[in-house]
Amino acid sequence: VEYVNGASLNESGYYSFYSVDLAGNESEVYEVFMDHDAPILECNVGQFGDTISTGFSIYTYDKFGDAKLYYKSPSDTEFCTSGSDGVGYTAYAKDGKYYFYAEDAMGNRSETVWIELSIPMPTVEIVSSNTENKTE
């Protein structure tokens, strides 16, 4: 496809360019990589914006390379960087909202999303024995 000088290249992907002068001489081929897409975040339980009552894990990936995952738990005041492409919380984690976003090497950033963890308190029932002096 003939490129028109100044035209915007909005699709992510690899582009190859060369030029041809009026005498038909061709230049070398130059390749350029364009990435306009933000990384993708996924949750293994429920959806972002949900309140859940079990442990959960968050993962990120990028179509064109690596992405860094950032998270903020209820006890954090600032976002922290995960050392991998995922982070997980058990059912013993602190109740509250957990926030996440991801950023790729080209500076494309996902939306900031959250999951609220609300673990129900266990119920205790004391049963007295009718025949013995004990409880269960």
Side-chain angles (χ1 to χ4, degrees):
V1 175
E2 185 174 336
Y3 176 74
V4 177
N5 194 16
S8 176
L9 301 174
N10 296 322
E11 276 190 56
S12 294
Y14 291 92
Y15 292 86
S16 298
F17 296 92
Y18 70 95
S19 62
V20 180
D21 65 16
L22 294 176
N25 299 309
E26 294 183 4
S27 71
E28 293 181 46
V29 175
Y30 297 95
E31 291 188 356
V32 177
F33 172 71
M34 302 290 286
D35 180 5
H36 301 289
D37 300 332
I40 296 168
L41 291 170
E42 291 185 348
C43 181
N44 71 329
V45 177
Q47 296 187 359
F48 295 113
D50 285 352
T51 299
I52 59 174
S53 60
T54 62
F56 64 95
S57 296
I58 305 296
Y59 302 95
T60 185
Y61 66 92
D62 188 69
K63 291 189 287 188
F64 297 107
D66 294 330
K68 287 185 182 178
L69 177 64
Y70 294 85
Y71 65 92
K72 184 169 76 167
S73 68
S75 57
D76 294 328
T77 57
E78 296 181 12
F79 279 90
C80 303
T81 305
S82 171
S84 66
D85 62 353
V87 64
Y89 298 93
T90 67
Y92 300 106
K94 183 176 182 175
D95 282 357
K97 285 188 179 178
Y98 290 75
Y99 294 88
F100 307 92
Y101 72 89
E103 191 171 309
D104 67 16
M106 301 299 279
N108 299 308
R109 182 176 164 173
S110 71
E111 291 183 43
T112 300
V113 294
W114 57 268
I115 293 281
E116 185 166 359
L117 186 62
S118 180
I119 306 297
M121 294 296 291
T123 57
V124 176
E125 182 180 348
I126 299 175
V127 178
S128 297
S129 172
N130 290 334
T131 58
E132 298 179 32
N133 190 16
K134 67 177 186 174
T135 58
E136 297 178 10

